[in-house]
DNA sequence: TTGTTTGCAAACCTTTTGCACGTTA
DNA sequence: TAACGTGCAAAAGGTTTGCAAACAA
């Protein structure tokens, strides 16, 4: 049930999924956007805009931070990327997988580490709530905060 | 089970609870801190530092925004206040009730409205995860995002 | 008196925006 | 060429910090 780390995803599959969706939407291809999409595809878990930007610059790209934010906003609006708030005031993003399978996060309040977990009973409980409430629920996210093994 | 809005709390009880905890900690009493504590006690749901500050100024107080942030930080560190990220990059806070009873949030991504809900099955699922995972879980929060009745 | 707390203003950081210059179709 | 996308620099928030004055114990 509760399996810490459940994401052996094929990076390439999200990458082409995203590329297809962008093509279908009619956006133009550009090196900046391609670089950001590729960087996101390579993530196992969430990363901030600044982190993505830094990694790209380190790898020799000349993308501007504004393009990272703009691409993230575009992808988020298309549902291709999930936004996560770990509580430190910085938005983090990770690829949204087409199958609907997703994970939630364990956040260490001492060192800031983020781990992923998945739990079926949790998803079930959330679906029940969504059905019952006078609100159209499109998405949900869960954060468990505490201390990771190293900080405990 | 899932009851939208389940918080007919007695404001006074949290207020004295917080005052006691502060006294026990040995902090000095000051009008700024008192004003912020009273303002938080009066909230039914979460409010941002700016909102709390604005309300206090409107009511004739001269508290500075820094004191609001400092008090919030103090209370949060003592576990008297819960921090909530609704996804718009602004931290919101609400009183933490001593009994452990708490609620989670429905966030409207179109108008920003926030509603509270409580669900036992959800809490149960989260407890099971906390027991199973290699992480000491101190707190958790859940956000359901979508469209409220008015925006739907 | 002594250490705490305050309000203000400046500093900080993340994110957004205006704009002139490339690039894509 | 015409619309779109880019990098840069400046602006715009929200939040934090330095500091001298005010205050509680």
């Amino acid at each position: 049930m509760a399996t810490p780390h459940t994401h052996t995803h094929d990076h390439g599959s999200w990458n082409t999924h995203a590329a297809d969706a962008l093509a279908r939407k009619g956006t133009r291809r550009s090196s900046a956007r391609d670089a950001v999409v590729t960087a996101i595809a390579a993530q196992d878990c969430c990363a901030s805009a600044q982190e993505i930007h830094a990694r790209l610059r380190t790898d020799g790209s000349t993308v501007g931070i504004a393009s990272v934010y703009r691409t993230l906003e575009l992808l988020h609006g298309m549902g291709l990327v999930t936004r996560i708030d770990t509580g430190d005031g910085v938005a983090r993003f990770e690829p949204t997988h087409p199958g609907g399978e997703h994970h939630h996060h364990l956040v260490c309040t001492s060192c800031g580490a983020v781990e992923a977990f998945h739990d079926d009973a949790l998803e079930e409980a959330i679906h029940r709530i969504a059905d019952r409430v006078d609100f159209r629920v499109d998405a949900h996210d869960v954060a468990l905060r505490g201390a990771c093994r190293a900080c405990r």
Side-chain angles (χ1 to χ4, degrees), chain A residues 59-122:
Chain A
D59 293 355
S61 168
T62 60
V63 233
I65 187 75
S67 292
V68 175
Y69 279 107
R70 284 189 277 233
T71 302
L72 250 9
E73 183 188 8
L74 174 68
L75 297 175
H76 186 238
M78 295 173 70
L80 291 167
V81 131
T82 304
R83 179 191 161 131
I84 286 122
D85 290 296
T86 62
D88 61 354
V90 183
R92 282 158 207 285
F93 302 84
E94 62 187 21
T96 307
H97 291 282
E101 99 238 43
H102 63 263
H103 57 236
H104 296 292
H105 299 90
L106 296 163
V107 180
C108 180
T109 48
S110 135
C111 73
V114 179
E115 269 181 46
F117 72 88
H118 175 84
D119 188 84
D120 287 329
L122 176 66

Side-chain angles (χ1 to χ4, degrees), chain A residues 14-30 33-34 37 74-75 78 80:
Chain A
W14 179 84
N15 204 329
T16 54
H17 168 61
D20 286 357
L22 287 168
R24 215 171 311 121
K25 193 178 204 278
T27 62
R28 295 184 179 174
R29 294 200 64 184
S30 74
R33 202 120 84 192
D34 281 358
V37 169
L74 174 68
L75 297 175
M78 295 173 70
L80 291 167

